[in-house]
Amino acid sequence: MTHFNTAARVTAGYIDGAFAFEHLKTAADGSASTATSEVPLGMARRASKVIAAYFIPASTLTADDTNYATLTISKRAAGGGSKTTVASVSTTTTGSGNFVAWVPVPLTVVAADASVTALSQLSFEISKPGTGVVVPIGKLVVYLSDNY
């Protein structure tokens, strides 16, 4: 299991009128099967909606339909509770396709679950079906808007 270690950074701020959480993945996975446990991204200060999410890889990844990774952003209510997927992408040929260094990979936002209430938590994790694939260093960016 890999974590975003203490060198990982989460920043937040307004970009083009939307509030953005940014998370830096500071190391490539140790092996293809190494998953990333759920880590917190931040808290919504007020009711808002996830409008877009991207992973910007610093190097390549070859898509595969059997051994792949699924990058998932989830939400949890202010009081905790179970998580609900807000956005995700799988590194399959029909999902993200191959990663190209410095080309943003869009995560698919689940429209029915994109709204978050004030004080809801957002989190990020990477799961690995099959034998997985090494996910490179990169930056995750999640945009929220309270004007929806």
Side-chain angles (χ1 to χ4, degrees), residues 3-127:
H3 298 283
F4 281 95
N5 73 37
T6 55
R9 294 178 298 181
V10 175
T11 58
Y14 282 92
I15 299 173
D16 294 331
F19 189 78
F21 286 110
E22 297 180 343
H23 187 88
L24 182 62
K25 184 177 185 299
T26 60
D29 297 335
S31 69
S33 63
T34 304
T36 299
S37 297
E38 183 183 22
V39 295
L41 288 176
M43 179 178 69
R45 295 183 342 194
R46 56 181 164 258
S48 52
K49 184 176 185 177
V50 174
I51 56 173
Y54 299 91
F55 182 75
I56 306 165
S59 61
T60 61
L61 178 148
T62 301
D64 186 278
D65 290 333
T66 303
N67 302 307
Y68 59 94
T70 300
L71 289 71
T72 304
I73 298 167
S74 300
K75 67 179 178 181
R76 291 180 183 269
S82 60
K83 63 185 174 184
T84 301
T85 297
V86 174
S88 66
V89 67
S90 293
T91 63
T92 59
T93 57
T94 57
S96 67
N98 295 331
F99 283 11
V100 177
W102 307 109
V103 176
V105 176
L107 280 72
T108 301
V109 175
V110 180
D113 295 316
S115 295
V116 295
T117 57
L119 306 180
S120 291
Q121 309 293 314
L122 292 177
S123 64
F124 176 66
E125 65 188 304
I126 301 173
S127 59

